Amino acid sequence: MDSELSQVRHTMQEALQTLSSSSDGVQISEALRSVKHYLNGLQNIVPPREREECSKIHFSTFLQCLVNKLSPDWLELLPAGQLEELWDSFFLESPADQAFLVLMESIIVTAGPSFRLMKMSQVLTKFLKRGRLVELMWEICQQQVPRGSSLLQETLLSKVVCLPDHLGNQMKEHCPSLFFPQNYFPLLGEEMIQVLQKISDSLRGSDCSISFLSQILAKVCIHGRQKEILGVLVPRLTELTQADCIWQRLSWRLMECVPDRGMEAVVSGLLQEAPGAKVLSQLLGNLVMKNKKAQFVVTRKCLLMQYRYPTEMLQNLLGYLALDSHRRTLLLQVLKDLLETWGSRSAIKHSPVEQQLYISKSSSSILFFFCLAFISELLTTMMGGVQCHIESSLPQVRHLGMIVAETISSRIHSEGPKLKFQYEENTWTRELLSLVNVKPADPGPPASGDDEFVPYDMTRDKELKNTKAPVYIRDCLEALTSSEDVERWEVTLQVLESLIQRNPAATREVSTELAKVLLHLEEKTSMEGFEMLRRRALVAVTIIDPVQYLTSQFYAMNYSLRQRMDILDVLILAAQELSSPKSLEKAKIPGPVEAGIQLSPAPLSPSLSRVPSEDWRRIVEERIKNKTRRFAKVEPGSYMEKSANEPNKLNSVVGYFFFPLIQRFDRPLVTFDLLGEDSLVLGRLVHTVGILMYFAINTTAAVPMGKALLEFVWALRFHTDAYVRQGLLYAISSILLSVPAERLLEDMTEELLETRSWLAAVAENDPDEDCRKLAMQALLLMEKLKDKLQIGSS
């Protein structure tokens, strides 16, 4: 036997010597064929021991020598491409692992586009198309090597997964399309299915390992190519595991052998690619019960630490846990953890709204699987979370609490009256409602035969009333305070605004008393538009005899939060009318401006936002267009250019609007604590003073207002409520737009530098997306002011 091995070594040494020294094509061809004799599989001629000796010990060196000799002149030593064909055959017929490694390592070290690089890439293309990766993976699966002990396996793993990166780096624009990631990884997935088929066929006769395939899958997913490889594996495995228990065990084993470092990438990829929870259960089995890392990913990472996954993935995950009785215990624990997080005041304040939506979707989806009547121990946690959400200053967070509360109510009282909140329907609410399968409202009784008649048009009809409308302000005051005649009360409220506007002198005599009555006025009947009429009348009074009464009452005792927010709304609307030039009222104003810097204040109360004639948001955006020509061009001759220098009627009274509101914010009352639990009102206050600051443009009070507002913002800049922080950031932008740039840099240089540092920190680290956007907008405005001053000085 030793003589046979000596013959192998002698043959290989002679061949290597010939390749390195000879330039005779015939001699080289004979040397190559003498080596190929050991690889042809001639069982009756070459003893197995010799073939094993050649392939395991000598062949890598021989292949590397072939690569080194590769050149156009060398291949032409024999006519008709004979030598080139013989050269190719060694890489296409030799042991797959050695041929692949030599090709890859040679490609990696070859510099720049060259003949050698192009030739090796062509051979590698043939290697892949002939399915030699299947041979490579199958050879390793047959080797009984303990995990982590084979350096060859680790090297092959890296080269197989990183092939597109290596080829792309070396060949750049000349890289064949087969090596593009979108083409290579689906091919790799198909090859893995073929290897799994070989394993399935061999299980009845011999042992083999599946761990190398698991490692390939893990490494590909870690590299972010889950979609490409799982897009092939999931449909094929789904089909194969449906009716074959061996394939089902193979799929489970494939996932169980995934290394811990790749478990998250593989599991999250499967959760997104699987077409449903049933398929996911087929492919994973009880992996979450056997593997602690998989359990952590499914029950914690994907539900509590991430919020980027789509709703379909969330339904797959929860459905997977619910399908098996063993896994259902995890589902109950997940629900408890989710509800604890969902009901945490700290989490509501410090986590992004998107994450709160994600957790709400998770909780609502799990509630679909459980009847809450049997898990009453969770009700306290859930109801506490509902309260925390409904108390939030952010409308989106409140809506989440409302929808989850409706879900809880529908599960507890399935046959009783349904709990229904009023909230704006949008993409978020529709998606959340779809998860809990909330049925639409009852459409009412079926249509009767009378519905076929055409209704008579009564749109222009007017209700006949016997009560005459009052013509004096004092009569209106009396009707609103002492009249028991409901019809007279309604008529008075309908005409009050126009009477105030026509009789300013008479209004001033009773302005304080009239404002007090309107502020405390409550609806006596189901009068349509009551809130709008009351608010318009209060705005009209405030414009004629400005604000002293309202601003003094904002911090007074015995007012509800609703009344305090009404005061803020009225001040904004009155300031808007006083600051708007006449030409602006007559102009045809287009829709919202698509500007690079948008400073839309946070929405006011629902009743205010429904007033069509008081479109203050549109005014603000039009002024922003004028102030930010760098981002949105103002057309010459527009109404904004004509009205920019007109006197601002708010000039003489703006201090009465602004300063009283920021003087007592840090002094709590018995029933009113802005720095405590009444953060919603604080947020509205901050937005209000920011809007007032913006309306103060072109007024003499703009500079002192800007200084005071900057101090006000600085005192609250670390507030935990995102709605308050949004208002503070809006206020900063209002200062930058309203105070002349020269005065900003002369009087507030140090404050601006500190503010800039704070804005940069908010833009980078704030958990709320709107806060980050507003901070970035304010930073852009600062840069614009700096550029403007540099241009002016030059």
Side-chain angles (χ1 to χ4, degrees):
M1 296 296 290
D2 292 338
S3 61
E4 294 175 357
L5 298 182
S6 298
Q7 179 63 35
V8 173
R9 287 193 289 269
H10 178 71
T11 302
M12 296 300 298
Q13 288 173 359
E14 283 191 345
L16 291 172
Q17 180 67 27
T18 302
L19 287 176
S20 60
S21 59
S22 176
S23 59
D24 185 346
V26 176
Q27 187 179 9
I28 292 173
S29 176
E30 291 177 353
L32 293 178
R33 294 183 189 281
S34 67
V35 175
K36 192 174 181 181
H37 182 71
Y38 291 102
L39 303 175
N40 280 337
L42 302 176
Q43 303 288 345
N44 56 341
I45 297 178
V46 180
R49 181 81 180 273
E50 293 184 28
R51 287 187 287 109
E52 185 179 1
E53 168 81 9
C54 179
S55 62
K56 287 188 175 181
I57 299 177
H58 304 289
F59 211 73
S60 293
T61 305
F62 180 75
L63 289 177
Q64 187 61 55
C65 184
L66 284 179
V67 170
N68 294 335
K69 297 301 293 184
L70 186 61
S71 68
D73 296 337
W74 189 82
L75 292 177
E76 291 174 0
L77 292 176
L78 286 178
Q82 297 177 41
L83 194 55
E84 182 176 5
E85 182 179 354
L86 192 57
W87 191 93
D88 290 357
S89 68
F90 277 97
F91 290 93
L92 299 177
E93 298 174 12
S94 61
D97 54 351
Q98 297 185 46
F100 180 77
L101 278 179
V102 170
L103 279 174
M104 288 299 299
E105 291 174 353
S106 301
I107 288 173
I108 292 171
V109 299
T110 302
S114 62
F115 171 81
R116 179 179 295 180
L117 183 61
M118 297 303 296
K119 177 60 182 174
M120 287 189 293
S121 71
Q122 292 172 5
V123 175
L124 184 59
T125 301
K126 293 179 183 179
F127 185 95
L128 295 180
K129 289 184 176 180
R130 290 193 182 186
R132 300 226 64 205
L133 273 182
V134 175
E135 298 178 28
L136 184 153
M137 291 184 284
W138 174 235
E139 288 175 5
I140 297 178
C141 289
Q142 289 179 297
Q143 300 171 4
Q144 297 299 318
V145 179
R147 180 181 295 184
S149 63
S150 173
L151 180 61
L152 176 63
Q153 285 193 18
E154 289 295 327
T155 306
L156 284 170
L157 176 65
S158 175
K159 295 296 186 292
V160 168
V161 175
C162 300
L163 183 147
D165 297 332
H166 292 314
L167 270 293
N169 290 337
Q170 293 300 103
M171 305 190 69
K172 297 179 174 60
E173 66 271 12
H174 303 292
C175 185
S177 61
L178 178 63
F179 303 135
F180 292 173
Q182 61 268 31
N183 298 326
Y184 173 73
F185 289 112
L187 172 65
L188 181 59
E190 292 288 353
E191 308 281 66
M192 290 176 65
I193 291 292
Q194 294 185 41
V195 179
L196 287 171
Q197 183 67 62
K198 287 178 175 289
I199 295 175
S200 173
D201 296 337
S202 68
L203 282 179
R204 298 172 179 86
S206 61
D207 292 334
C208 52
S209 172
I210 203 173
S211 63
F212 186 67
L213 298 182
S214 300
Q215 292 175 38
I216 289 178
L217 177 61
K219 200 171 186 67
V220 171
C221 292
I222 289 172
H223 283 215
R225 295 296 175 179
Q226 297 106 316
K227 190 172 184 63
E228 287 85 354
I229 195 165
L230 292 176
V232 172
L233 287 178
V234 169
R236 296 287 289 119
L237 287 176
T238 301
E239 179 184 354
L240 292 166
T241 55
Q242 280 180 348
D244 194 325
C245 61
I246 293 181
W247 268 101
Q248 197 168 70
R249 294 291 298 273
L250 273 179
S251 176
W252 296 352
R253 186 62 181 164
L254 178 68
M255 303 307 166
E256 290 170 7
C257 290
V258 169
D260 283 349
R261 66 179 182 275
M263 188 62 73
E264 179 181 353
V266 173
V267 171
S268 63
L270 281 170
L271 288 170
Q272 296 179 76
E273 289 298 324
K278 185 177 179 182
V279 171
L280 194 62
S281 185
Q282 277 180 220
L283 302 183
L284 289 179
N286 278 335
L287 178 65
V288 292
M289 308 301 295
K290 300 177 181 179
N291 187 289
K292 291 296 183 181
K293 183 61 181 289
Q295 185 178 120
F296 174 77
V297 170
V298 170
T299 61
R300 303 287 300 180
K301 195 72 176 285
C302 291
L303 290 174
L304 296 173
M305 301 180 185
Q306 298 281 359
Y307 55 91
R308 59 183 175 87
Y309 297 115
T311 303
E312 293 77 15
M313 175 268 196
L314 185 61
Q315 292 174 317
N316 280 350
L317 187 156
L318 299 175
Y320 164 73
L321 293 178
L323 281 177
D324 183 82
S325 58
H326 296 91
R327 301 195 295 263
R328 211 165 291 145
T329 57
L330 290 179
L331 185 63
L332 182 56
Q333 183 59 47
V334 164
L335 177 58
K336 292 179 179 178
D337 294 339
L338 281 171
L339 290 176
E340 287 179 3
T341 304
W342 189 77
S344 168
R345 291 184 182 271
S346 177
I348 293 173
K349 286 186 176 182
H350 296 97
S351 60
V353 178
E354 293 82 5
Q355 185 173 13
Q356 296 181 47
L357 170 65
Y358 187 79
I359 293 176
S360 298
K361 290 192 295 185
S362 304
S363 304
S364 300
S365 298
I366 299 178
L367 294 178
F368 180 80
F369 297 109
F370 286 111
C371 176
L372 291 180
F374 295 102
I375 49 173
S376 57
E377 68 272 15
L378 299 179
L379 285 178
T380 302
T381 304
M382 287 183 288
M383 297 312 297
V386 167
Q387 181 179 353
C388 293
H389 278 74
I390 292 179
E391 290 176 354
S392 173
S393 303
L394 296 175
Q396 304 100 312
V397 178
R398 292 200 298 272
H399 296 166
L400 296 180
M402 293 173 184
I403 294 174
V404 174
E406 292 176 357
T407 306
I408 296 171
S409 175
S410 65
R411 298 299 178 200
I412 298 176
H413 306 291
S414 57
E415 298 180 357
K418 303 296 183 183
L419 176 66
K420 184 63 180 175
F421 290 93
Q422 292 184 353
Y423 45 80
E424 180 183 356
E425 185 176 340
N426 53 36
T427 305
W428 282 18
T429 57
R430 284 192 294 268
E431 184 179 16
L432 194 53
L433 287 170
S434 68
L435 291 176
V436 296
N437 196 26
V438 176
K439 296 181 180 180
D442 186 5
S448 62
D450 295 338
D451 293 337
E452 64 189 31
F453 296 105
V454 178
Y456 184 76
D457 185 9
M458 301 178 63
T459 56
R460 297 184 180 180
D461 290 2
K462 295 183 179 180
E463 184 180 356
L464 296 177
K465 294 184 178 181
N466 298 323
T467 304
K468 293 183 178 181
V471 294
Y472 298 104
I473 296 294
R474 291 187 181 274
D475 292 343
C476 293
L477 192 58
E478 180 185 353
L480 293 176
T481 55
S482 60
S483 176
E484 297 298 330
D485 188 343
V486 174
E487 189 171 307
R488 183 186 177 199
W489 185 86
E490 290 183 354
V491 171
T492 300
L493 195 58
Q494 291 170 354
V495 302
L496 182 57
E497 180 188 11
S498 59
L499 280 179
I500 293 172
Q501 293 172 344
R502 291 199 305 266
N503 302 279
T507 301
R508 289 190 184 94
E509 296 178 0
V510 293
S511 60
T512 300
E513 187 177 357
L514 183 57
K516 182 177 181 180
V517 169
L518 289 171
L519 186 60
H520 291 83
L521 192 64
E522 296 182 357
E523 187 176 5
K524 292 183 177 181
T525 63
S526 300
M527 179 182 181
E528 184 178 356
F530 164 77
E531 284 294 336
M532 180 182 66
L533 293 172
R534 182 181 73 93
R535 196 182 302 273
R536 284 182 173 178
L538 197 51
V539 169
V541 173
T542 305
I543 291 173
I544 289 177
D545 193 8
V547 299
Q548 286 95 331
Y549 172 74
L550 287 183
T551 53
S552 67
Q553 296 304 298
F554 180 75
Y555 290 105
M557 296 283 289
N558 301 325
Y559 278 92
S560 66
L561 299 183
R562 175 72 269 168
Q563 288 172 318
R564 298 182 198 276
M565 289 191 286
D566 283 344
I567 291 174
L568 298 176
D569 292 347
V570 169
L571 291 175
I572 288 177
L573 293 173
Q576 176 208 327
E577 290 200 17
L578 289 171
S579 65
S580 300
K582 294 281 186 177
S583 58
L584 187 61
E585 297 174 3
K586 298 178 182 179
K588 293 183 179 180
I589 303 177
V593 178
E594 298 296 333
I597 302 253
Q598 296 181 358
L599 295 175
S600 299
L604 301 177
S605 66
S607 57
L608 178 60
S609 62
R610 289 195 294 265
V611 182
S613 62
E614 307 293 353
D615 196 357
W616 55 268
R617 185 191 298 261
R618 186 174 54 191
I619 308 298
V620 172
E621 290 180 343
E622 287 297 331
R623 289 189 172 182
I624 293 167
K625 179 180 179 181
N626 185 53
K627 294 292 293 184
T628 56
R629 278 173 285 181
R630 177 180 178 181
F631 304 100
K633 184 178 180 181
V634 179
E635 297 297 332
S638 68
Y639 70 87
M640 190 58 70
E641 288 185 349
K642 297 176 182 177
S643 62
N645 295 322
E646 292 188 15
N648 190 335
K649 294 183 178 179
L650 191 63
N651 183 31
S652 60
V653 294
V654 67
Y656 296 112
F657 281 81
F658 179 83
F659 289 106
L661 292 179
I662 63 174
Q663 288 176 351
R664 298 172 56 189
F665 73 94
D666 55 349
R667 303 176 192 174
L669 302 176
V670 176
T671 58
F672 184 46
D673 185 5
L674 284 178
L675 299 183
E677 60 183 10
D678 297 322
S679 58
L680 173 60
V681 185
L682 177 61
R684 291 284 294 280
L685 171 64
V686 174
H687 280 90
T688 298
V689 294
I691 295 170
L692 292 174
M693 181 75 247
Y694 192 82
F695 286 152
I697 189 170
N698 297 331
T699 66
T700 56
V703 174
M705 285 176 61
K707 291 182 179 179
L709 184 54
L710 203 55
E711 293 178 2
F712 176 74
V713 169
W714 202 247
L716 296 171
R717 67 190 185 280
F718 296 123
H719 202 281
T720 57
D721 194 303
Y723 182 59
V724 175
R725 297 197 304 276
Q726 290 172 14
L728 297 173
L729 294 164
Y730 171 74
I732 291 293
S733 296
S734 296
I735 295 171
L736 296 173
L737 290 170
S738 300
V739 179
E742 298 81 5
R743 297 299 303 274
L744 277 173
L745 294 182
E746 288 176 5
D747 301 345
M748 292 176 264
T749 305
E750 185 176 348
E751 291 88 344
L752 285 178
L753 290 175
E754 293 176 345
T755 301
R756 191 180 188 283
S757 300
W758 171 62
L759 290 173
V762 172
E764 183 177 358
N765 301 319
D766 198 284
D768 184 74
E769 183 181 5
D770 289 334
C771 287
R772 296 195 298 270
K773 288 180 179 179
L774 286 168
M776 186 59 66
Q777 291 174 0
L779 287 170
L780 288 174
L781 284 175
M782 281 191 169
E783 292 299 319
K784 178 178 174 60
L785 288 176
K786 185 175 70 173
D787 295 343
K788 178 181 177 182
L789 288 176
Q790 288 177 350
I791 294 174
S793 60
S794 61

